Amino acid sequence: MILIYSKDVDDFVNQVIDCLDTDFVRLSESDCIYIDEMEFSKQYAFYSITNVYVKKVNLETVKSIWFNGGAVCSFNDAYEDKCYEMLTDAYLMQKKVYKLGKRTAEFEFNRLDVMLEAKQQGLKIPHTLLTGNKQKLKNFFEAHQTKNGIISKRILDNYFYEDEEYKYNFNLTFPITSEILNEVPNEFAISLFQERIKADFEIRVIYIDGMYYAACIYNFDEATIDYRTKLVNMENLRIIPFQLPLEIEEKLAKVFEKFKMNYGSADLMYHKNDFYFLEINPTGQVSFINNACNFYIEYFLTSKIRYDS
């Protein structure tokens, strides 16, 4: 049996499931489970769960696992949710089966960690500043104002921040303008800023256990900083397959290996004959690349998670 962890909404997961011809269990973010029993002894181990779709599934029969986001939730409160997450993580991380991707609890890196490792491996990165000081930000802004300006993006992988009045979305990258700079207080929460590179095209790389699927993304709307805002109707975007140079593949492989990742995506920019590394995502959006380029990645991924099942 195959165990699939996933986000609630992910077309690519559905494509993979459509290709499966063996038993599987999918645990999504909002799929609450009930732990029927966890028993471990010298003779045997037993861990069974129940959710609204399946009854008493023995996870001892799991032969391979694909982690693509997702979480474990109970039918009760946040305390029991945390207990369920801790128990399931401990069990699955010790289970000696084929695993594609990693659980959140296993992630050993952050955004800065990944950038520094990419730089160590010889990949170029944009000029980057992390600060909570307005004057330092102003100096950085002025240094790049005559070029293409600067942008800001989130440091953590959390997409949202909520206070007593508002819920803030940190998912998208945005430009720092003079108007924004004027409104910034002298001291603010530590934030990440980078020089804006007006790329000839951006590159999304899907990495699965040593195999690369890459696509270049042409954004014909210069006012748009983050092409992901165009993915609903693909307005002003052109996506075509791209062959990464072997040298870039080898450098990316070392970054993935450093963080013990066999599944994920990487974002690059191509500008004036140079490749710039931006970030790695342990899940990433796959379907829009897969569909636009007719990669049929679901068949390759299915062959991997079926390997020992």
Side-chain angles (χ1 to χ4, degrees):
M1 186 172 66
I2 297 169
L3 177 62
I4 299 174
Y5 265 71
S6 75
K7 297 163 283 190
D8 280 338
V9 180
D10 194 321
D11 292 341
F12 181 60
V13 175
N14 295 334
Q15 291 172 331
V16 171
I17 287 174
D18 287 342
C19 294
L20 288 175
D21 57 2
T22 188
D23 292 338
F24 70 91
V25 174
R26 177 179 180 178
L27 298 181
S28 298
E29 292 167 322
S30 61
D31 290 341
C32 295
I33 68 169
Y34 174 74
I35 296 180
D36 295 304
E37 179 183 0
M38 294 185 76
E39 183 178 350
F40 308 100
S41 67
K42 293 181 180 179
Q43 288 75 31
Y44 70 98
F46 191 81
Y47 176 19
S48 69
I49 63 169
T50 294
N51 65 17
V52 295
Y53 306 107
V54 293
K55 303 295 182 184
K56 288 188 177 296
V57 174
N58 180 12
L59 295 189
E60 280 299 307
T61 62
V62 168
K63 300 299 183 183
S64 62
I65 307 171
W66 175 30
F67 296 112
N68 189 45
V72 173
C73 299
S74 72
F75 285 94
N76 293 309
D77 55 23
Y79 171 76
E80 192 161 47
D81 284 351
K82 199 65 181 176
C83 290
Y84 271 41
E85 181 182 17
M86 182 273 292
L87 292 169
T88 307
D89 282 348
Y91 172 78
L92 293 179
M93 285 189 285
Q94 292 295 325
K95 193 167 178 60
K96 298 188 183 304
V97 297
Y98 177 74
K99 299 172 187 175
L100 187 65
K102 301 175 73 172
R103 280 287 292 128
T104 303
E106 293 182 276
F107 293 154
E108 302 164 354
F109 65 87
N110 56 48
R111 202 168 292 269
L112 181 60
D113 206 7
V114 173
M115 279 199 303
L116 292 175
E117 180 60 29
K119 188 172 183 294
Q120 180 71 23
Q121 296 301 337
L123 291 165
K124 293 193 173 204
I125 63 172
H127 188 186
T128 303
L129 171 72
L130 290 102
T131 188
N133 180 273
K134 181 174 182 174
Q135 185 58 53
K136 295 184 186 303
L137 172 58
K138 185 177 179 181
N139 295 341
F140 190 67
F141 177 83
E142 291 173 350
H144 294 279
Q145 192 173 15
T146 57
K147 300 175 184 177
N148 296 314
I150 64 173
I151 58 173
S152 180
K153 58 175 65 175
R154 70 185 191 274
I155 297 175
L156 302 177
D157 284 328
N158 297 335
Y159 290 167
F160 300 103
Y161 168 76
E162 190 171 1
D163 62 18
E164 295 178 356
E165 297 184 72
Y166 301 103
K167 191 172 187 178
Y168 303 90
N169 184 347
F170 288 102
N171 187 26
L172 299 178
T173 300
F174 62 92
I176 299 298
T177 63
S178 298
E179 292 74 20
I180 290 176
L181 193 58
N182 289 335
E183 295 294 325
V184 171
N186 290 330
E187 301 293 336
F188 52 90
I190 188 77
S191 302
L192 189 152
F193 306 96
Q194 285 183 332
E195 63 172 315
R196 182 187 177 189
I197 297 173
K198 287 192 175 180
D200 301 333
F201 53 84
E202 297 191 36
I203 306 168
R204 168 61 63 94
V205 182
I206 310 301
Y207 178 78
I208 303 176
D209 216 356
M211 178 68 74
Y212 291 94
Y213 296 88
C216 59
I217 303 165
Y218 291 94
N219 180 9
F220 297 104
D221 181 1
E222 290 192 2
T224 300
I225 299 291
D226 196 328
Y227 70 80
R228 289 174 297 175
T229 61
K230 302 291 185 180
L231 291 181
V232 174
N233 55 18
M234 306 294 279
E235 180 185 357
N236 293 319
L237 292 182
R238 186 184 180 209
I239 303 173
I240 60 175
F242 181 77
Q243 180 61 56
L244 284 171
L246 180 60
E247 177 187 8
I248 300 299
E249 286 188 353
E250 290 174 346
K251 290 176 180 179
L252 280 176
K254 290 178 181 178
V255 177
F256 280 106
E257 289 167 7
K258 167 70 176 181
F259 299 105
K260 300 177 182 177
M261 294 176 64
N262 63 357
Y263 174 76
S265 65
D267 288 333
L268 308 172
M269 280 185 170
Y270 183 81
H271 175 66
K272 293 184 178 179
N273 298 319
D274 280 324
F275 291 87
Y276 287 82
F277 175 90
L278 298 180
E279 63 184 23
I280 277 180
N281 190 314
T283 55
Q285 295 169 305
V286 176
S287 60
F288 82 97
I289 293 293
N290 190 36
N291 297 340
C293 297
N294 293 318
F295 281 145
Y296 299 103
I297 303 174
E298 62 271 25
Y299 290 103
F300 178 70
L301 192 145
T302 300
S303 71
K304 298 299 294 184
I305 61 177
R306 261 194 334 215
Y307 183 76
D308 287 325
S309 62

